Amino acid sequence: MADDPKKNYPLPKFHFQVEWGEDRFGFTEVSGLDFETEVIEYREGNAPVYHKTKQPGLTKYANISLKRGTFLGDFKFFELWKKTMMFQEGAAQYRRDITIKLLDEEHKPIITWALTKAWPSKVQSTNLKADANEVAIESMDLVHEGLRIVEAQ
C-alpha cells in the first residue's frame, strides 16, 4: 500500500459518469448517495438491566439529486418525469437501474454506486435572477429501491 502513491491521497470527486439504462447523461453534481440502517430499541419488562438493547432494523436510502446545465431544446429531464407522473407503467417500464461511477485519470471506474429501480420524483427548473452571471442549472430527484457499492476491478 505504501508503494502506490495514489493510495496516500484521498480520491478527487470531480470526474464521474452517470449511466441511466442505455442513456448517458452529463451532470455537474450528484448528491444523496446515502444509506442508513434504522435502529430498533427494545427492552423486556423483566430485564435485569435498566436500559434498552439496540438492534438493526430496516435500511433506508436517501433520494439522489442530479444537477446539470440547461440546454436549448433539451427537455429530457421533464420527459422522463412526465412518463412517471401518473405512474401507469403498463407494458413500458420507467424504473431504471442506474450506475454512478467515480473515474480515475484514465477514465476507469474507481467506485461504482448501483441504484435499483430508480425513477424521477421531482424536476426543478433553474431559478431566474436578473443580476446573476451564472449558468442555468436544472435538477432532478430520483427515488430508488436499493443502493450498493460495487468495487472496481
Side-chain angles (χ1 to χ4, degrees):
M1 183 167 142
D3 297 338
D4 187 357
K6 290 182 182 179
K7 293 187 177 181
N8 293 329
Y9 298 100
L11 298 170
K13 64 179 186 174
F14 58 81
H15 189 45
F16 58 91
Q17 173 181 312
V18 178
E19 294 177 356
W20 184 302
E22 302 296 318
D23 298 322
R24 277 191 180 155
F25 288 102
F27 294 99
T28 58
E29 184 178 337
V30 176
S31 60
L33 296 168
D34 306 338
F35 47 94
E36 171 184 351
T37 301
E38 295 176 338
V39 177
I40 300 170
E41 294 184 352
Y42 177 76
R43 182 182 181 279
E44 286 186 4
N46 66 349
V49 292
Y50 297 113
H51 61 81
K52 299 175 186 175
T53 61
K54 296 182 181 185
Q55 52 194 326
L58 297 175
T59 301
K60 63 181 179 178
Y61 303 99
N63 292 348
I64 305 296
S65 179
L66 306 169
K67 294 183 180 182
R68 70 177 191 153
T70 304
F71 291 91
L72 181 64
D74 184 358
F75 300 105
K76 190 75 171 175
F77 268 14
F78 179 72
E79 294 298 324
L80 290 167
W81 172 79
K82 191 168 71 171
K83 290 178 182 178
T84 62
M85 180 173 57
M86 302 300 278
F87 220 84
Q88 298 177 4
E89 290 179 305
Q93 298 295 310
Y94 303 118
R95 295 174 189 248
R96 296 280 185 261
D97 291 341
I98 296 174
T99 57
I100 301 166
K101 299 177 181 180
L102 181 63
L103 305 174
D104 65 10
E105 301 86 14
E106 298 167 359
H107 311 295
K108 295 179 184 171
I110 302 170
I111 302 172
T112 301
W113 293 268
L115 306 174
T116 306
K117 296 182 181 178
W119 54 275
S121 66
K122 177 181 176 183
V123 173
Q124 184 175 353
S125 294
T126 188
N127 61 336
L128 304 174
K129 190 174 178 184
D131 63 348
N133 187 19
E134 302 166 357
V135 171
I137 300 291
E138 60 186 1
S139 65
M140 173 186 281
D141 285 353
L142 296 176
V143 296
H144 57 92
E145 295 182 7
L147 170 66
R148 61 187 174 86
I149 296 175
V150 181
E151 289 188 43
Q153 301 295 331

